[in-house]
Amino acid sequence: MLNQAVWFPDNAYIESTRLYRWMKKLGFQNYDSFYKKSIQDIEWFWDEAVKELGIEWYQPYKKTLNLDQGMKWPHWFVDSKSNVVHNAVEKWASCEQTKDKVALIWESDDGQVIRYSFQELQDEVIRAANGLIASGIQKGDVVSIYMPMIPETVIAMLAIAKIGAIFSPAFSGYGAEAVATRINAAKAKMLITADGFLRRGKQVMMKLEADRAVGLSPTIEKVVVVRRLNHDIPWNDKLDISWDSFLENGQKLQCSPKTVEMESNEPLMLLYTSGTTGKPKGAVHTHTGFPIKAAFDAGVVMDVKQGDTLFWYTDMGWMMGPFLIFGGLLNGASILLFEGTPDYPNPDRIWEVASKHGVTHLGISPTLIRSLMKHGETWVQKHDLSRLKAIGSTGEPWNPEPWLWLFEKVGQKSIPIINYSGGTEISGGILCNVLIRPIGPITFNSAVPGMDVHVYDENGKPVVGEVGELVITKPWVGMTNGFWNEPDRYENSYWNRWPDTWVHGDWVIKDEDGFYTITGRSDDILNVAGKRLGPAELESILVEHPAIVEAGTIGIPDDVKGEAAVCFAVLKDKQPDTDIIKKEAMELVVQKLGKALKPKEIFFVQDLPKTRNAKVMRRAIKAAFLNKDTGDLSSLENPHTVDMIRELGKNYFNQIELK
């Protein structure tokens, strides 16, 4: 893939990056030899990484890594004591040179802007921590967060961490049942929520869902409500307390709460991921795990520095929400929270926000770009993006056309796109684009340093140039410390294929130049007449058709081929003749992949089932089309699309029976 690269860093650029300077300080001139050392000696690597990040400890660690319990249960930074709040906020607030620097910027859906310096953020965290203590929250208690992207969300999370309690954020778009499932799994004592928030100019009444969730959650003793909209809302005097009253109760303590010194393996947060069977998995993350991995990936890989502004369009219930907080603040950078949507009130909102606040690192998803590119580049050209240094991308595989549009029209062929793929249980990335190697469309030019990554065939042997399972064969800082109260489920989820090997669930191709391409989730993979086919391969071809903006592919049982591809495509505009488009799209696939891999059918739909962080949920498409149980759909932005696909499936199979 090296010959297909389109972005090439010159020597001056390479030498300016944190990664290069750190490598050189460690005695390496060559990236390949540095990466090799990073996976051969992981203790050395992570010891040097925390020094580079300037992580401060109340009690230094005696040993970087202890594997007495095996690779599935590593113990990092043995006998150390720390607290993420010290490294994210307090050390910057206590320094004259940084205390007045901007830590947090918030822009609302309707254009309000609030800024907090590190000193101001620390003051708010102290107030909230006192409020928690006055409410009876203690070290080890779990507090659920069901909040929009507002400053109080970050303040609450940091305050919970400060006193040694555990926060568990839920996606702000969840309904009551999904929130309650996560509250009950965590046995949370408190819920922090809001009366509502603005989305596309409309008021979303969050407290109503929160009340329903609490009614299903017997462990909740107190509900703290931020008055974002200042509306009349149902109120339970025995249970509910406003954010302002919560803070006032804390002030009565008349003391500054001590930041609790946490041992390295003690939990910081629970991040629940959707399970295919409807039961979410609670990834356990520690003070010395997720924040350090996030800070390393943001700081060293993405080159986030003091003076930069990091903005990832996300939600606090997704991994990239906490990544935004810790990846930015631990590096002394500003973080930007955005309540609104990228295309409201106009299709240039995200570019306007990035320009207004001098964003240096912008995080998006391929689906977001596909939805914006149909409006054309003139909306981008209206805004000054000269401070933008890098564009991060996560969530799903790319297709070439939207990647190139982003690179050429938004980045003017000069801003690198950092493809970044990992997961909630990783605390960050497995694969990435490092800024000292050329970058090509849709691919990853490296594994993240410190991640011992391989691509295995079905026999557990490394393969090059063909599709295989993405695996990791050594532990890393940030690896989930199991699932909350479900150690066996954790081991069965990732460790049951090959000995001491983390099987991540992605199908990947690694080429001879060391470039990786993700072709889809391994449970999404198609096996058509003995040929393995990643859904992204077909989808990329379909969106090359000028009338098709987006596509999703599934495999269905086939009497002849064992499995056949069925595709669902979203058209750019109302098209006069979909039959012609379908015929041309089929021919395009045949031309690129051969007749054997031609889809059995292409259906045109108004939209694909997507999560709020813009992942196309192929398993929901497949289950609905085959009229099977769709499992947990609580993270879907547009659940009505599943019903439409279910009807398409019923009609399709009815017609086959009639024939």
Side-chain angles (χ1 to χ4, degrees):
M1 294 289 181
L2 192 56
N3 62 340
Q4 295 178 22
V6 294
W7 182 84
F8 298 88
D10 60 25
N11 287 337
Y13 180 93
I14 289 170
E15 290 169 7
S16 73
T17 65
R18 284 183 75 178
L19 176 56
Y20 178 83
R21 291 178 177 180
W22 185 45
M23 277 172 41
K24 192 171 181 183
K25 187 166 71 176
L26 296 174
F28 295 88
Q29 299 291 334
N30 175 278
Y31 176 74
D32 289 339
S33 61
F34 163 75
Y35 171 74
K36 193 173 180 180
K37 174 72 170 175
S38 82
I39 60 173
Q40 284 177 340
D41 192 346
I42 54 175
E43 287 190 63
W44 164 83
F45 175 78
W46 287 107
D47 181 47
E48 293 294 343
V50 294
K51 292 175 190 171
E52 170 62 20
L53 293 169
I55 301 298
E56 294 181 355
W57 311 86
Y58 298 123
Q59 180 174 299
Y61 50 93
K62 294 179 180 176
K63 185 174 170 58
T64 307
L65 174 62
N66 183 321
L67 288 176
D68 286 352
Q69 291 183 291
M71 186 175 150
K72 300 168 191 173
W73 302 98
H75 185 171
W76 290 96
F77 310 117
V78 180
D79 291 336
S80 68
K81 289 188 178 177
S82 66
N83 190 300
V84 67
V85 175
H86 174 76
N87 284 292
V89 180
E90 292 171 356
K91 76 175 185 183
W92 308 115
S94 63
C95 174
E96 283 297 320
Q97 286 75 35
T98 55
K99 69 177 185 179
D100 295 323
K101 301 282 187 186
V102 175
L104 172 63
I105 307 163
W106 175 67
E107 178 159 334
S108 70
D109 185 72
D110 58 354
Q112 296 178 59
V113 175
I114 298 175
R115 292 180 175 84
Y116 294 80
S117 68
F118 281 101
Q119 180 66 64
E120 291 166 337
L121 182 57
Q122 175 175 262
D123 292 344
E124 291 302 312
V125 170
I126 289 170
R127 293 176 70 207
N130 266 341
L132 290 164
I133 293 168
S135 299
I137 298 298
Q138 300 176 348
K139 178 182 175 181
D141 288 341
V142 179
V143 178
S144 286
I145 304 280
Y146 178 48
M147 296 272 279
M149 293 294 270
I150 57 177
E152 290 86 351
T153 309
V154 176
I155 292 163
M157 290 163 68
L158 292 170
I160 293 162
K162 180 180 175 70
I163 68 167
I166 305 161
F167 63 84
S168 181
F171 167 46
S172 63
Y174 276 149
E177 287 77 10
V179 177
T181 298
R182 287 152 178 79
I183 291 173
N184 290 324
K187 293 184 169 52
K189 288 179 66 174
M190 174 184 279
L191 175 67
I192 302 180
T193 188
D195 57 356
F197 59 96
L198 295 179
R199 181 165 170 77
R200 307 186 75 83
K202 296 178 181 177
Q203 296 178 346
V204 179
M205 304 308 290
M206 195 171 218
K207 177 65 161 56
L208 301 179
E209 289 299 316
D211 284 346
R212 288 180 56 222
V214 170
L216 300 169
S217 308
T219 60
I220 293 294
E221 299 172 4
K222 187 71 69 180
V223 179
V224 181
V225 185
V226 176
R227 294 283 197 166
R228 162 72 183 96
L229 300 177
N230 285 311
H231 269 299
D232 288 332
I233 50 175
W235 201 259
N236 182 340
D237 288 327
K238 293 180 180 178
L239 203 61
D240 298 338
I241 180 172
S242 72
W243 177 261
D244 289 343
S245 298
F246 168 76
L247 296 181
E248 286 168 11
N249 287 347
Q251 285 178 314
K252 293 173 186 174
L253 298 180
Q254 296 183 336
C255 64
S256 182
K258 185 178 184 296
T259 302
V260 175
E261 298 182 7
M262 303 294 289
E263 294 182 12
S264 63
N265 265 16
E266 291 188 291
L268 161 72
M269 66 175 168
L270 308 179
L271 285 180
Y272 279 91
T273 64
S274 294
T276 55
T277 61
K279 186 182 180 185
K281 302 172 291 189
V284 181
H285 291 296
T286 67
H287 283 252
T288 59
F290 188 109
I292 291 175
K293 169 67 170 163
F296 176 82
D297 288 7
V300 178
V301 175
M302 300 180 187
D303 212 44
V304 173
K305 306 169 183 172
Q306 286 188 43
D308 287 341
T309 300
L310 176 63
F311 168 33
W312 215 284
Y313 179 67
T314 185
D315 186 273
M316 217 48 76
W318 307 132
M319 187 209 84
M320 295 310 295
F323 178 96
L324 169 66
I325 295 175
F326 300 125
L329 296 183
L330 264 71
N331 284 296
S334 306
I335 60 171
L336 170 62
L337 259 66
F338 178 45
E339 179 189 45
T341 49
D343 58 352
Y344 178 84
N346 294 305
D348 61 342
R349 182 66 185 278
I350 197 163
W351 317 122
E352 177 194 329
V353 169
S355 173
K356 183 196 299 186
H357 301 293
V359 168
T360 56
H361 295 75
L362 171 64
I364 49 81
S365 69
T367 295
L368 170 58
I369 298 305
R370 285 194 292 265
S371 69
L372 294 179
M373 64 186 281
K374 64 186 178 186
H375 299 291
E377 62 265 29
T378 53
W379 288 102
V380 183
Q381 293 164 355
K382 292 169 63 177
H383 302 284
D384 177 11
L385 299 176
S386 58
R387 284 207 78 218
L388 195 57
K389 298 177 184 178
I391 299 172
S393 160
T394 192
E396 59 180 321
W398 278 97
N399 313 118
E401 185 188 4
W403 193 99
L404 287 166
W405 184 86
L406 177 65
F407 179 68
E408 294 169 359
K409 307 302 182 185
V410 178
Q412 301 297 307
K413 300 183 180 179
S414 64
I415 297 173
I417 298 174
I418 303 174
N419 283 3
Y420 183 62
S421 183
T424 302
E425 300 89 341
I426 306 296
S427 298
I430 301 171
L431 303 175
C432 67
N433 281 333
V434 293
L435 297 173
I436 60 177
R437 296 191 77 196
I439 293 173
I442 83 170
T443 59
F444 304 81
N445 66 17
S446 178
V448 176
M451 304 297 286
D452 190 7
V453 173
H454 303 272
V455 180
Y456 279 3
D457 66 13
E458 61 271 19
N459 299 313
K461 304 295 183 188
V463 289
V464 175
E466 60 182 87
V467 175
E469 285 273 10
L470 180 67
V471 303
I472 310 169
T473 56
K474 285 184 183 163
W476 64 94
V477 166
M479 191 173 113
T480 182
N481 196 18
F483 295 155
W484 189 245
N485 296 327
E486 294 186 297
D488 292 342
R489 187 181 182 201
Y490 158 67
E491 292 194 9
N492 291 333
S493 294
Y494 291 105
W495 302 97
N496 66 352
R497 186 92 178 265
W498 296 295
D500 285 342
T501 302
W502 175 290
V503 180
H504 192 61
D506 282 339
W507 280 119
V508 173
I509 301 171
K510 180 184 180 182
D511 71 13
E512 292 179 354
D513 295 317
F515 282 66
Y516 298 82
T517 305
I518 293 179
T519 64
R521 295 292 295 171
S522 53
D523 50 6
D524 291 335
I525 208 75
L526 286 73
N527 191 332
V528 181
K531 301 176 184 69
R532 288 188 297 180
L533 178 68
E537 295 177 76
L538 259 176
E539 292 157 8
S540 291
I541 294 167
L542 292 176
V543 298
E544 287 182 23
H545 191 287
I548 296 175
V549 68
E550 196 170 27
T553 298
I554 62 168
I556 67 167
D558 183 82
D559 292 340
V560 177
K561 297 181 177 180
E563 195 169 27
V566 171
C567 303
F568 300 82
V570 179
L571 298 174
K572 284 184 178 173
D573 303 295
K574 273 198 169 181
Q575 299 293 332
D577 198 333
T578 55
D579 288 339
I580 291 176
I581 296 170
K582 183 186 290 189
K583 184 170 180 278
E584 291 171 347
M586 290 281 196
E587 289 170 354
L588 201 56
V589 174
V590 170
Q591 179 188 332
K592 300 267 187 176
L593 292 179
K595 196 172 181 180
L597 297 178
K598 177 183 173 183
K600 193 156 191 174
E601 186 58 85
I602 299 175
F603 294 98
F604 295 111
V605 293
Q606 291 184 335
D607 202 0
L608 299 170
K610 283 188 285 244
T611 62
R612 175 76 178 272
N613 61 338
K615 285 186 182 179
V616 173
M617 197 180 273
R618 294 190 189 90
R619 69 165 178 81
I621 298 174
K622 184 169 183 172
F625 190 74
L626 297 176
N627 200 27
K628 294 182 177 178
D629 179 16
T630 50
D632 178 18
L633 299 181
S634 55
S635 61
L636 278 187
E637 169 88 342
N638 49 1
H640 66 279
T641 56
V642 175
D643 297 329
M644 294 168 62
I645 289 169
R646 192 179 295 278
E647 285 303 310
L648 284 173
K650 287 178 181 177
N651 293 335
Y652 175 77
F653 289 110
N654 284 339
Q655 287 175 12
I656 289 176
E657 284 181 18
L658 290 172
K659 290 178 183 177

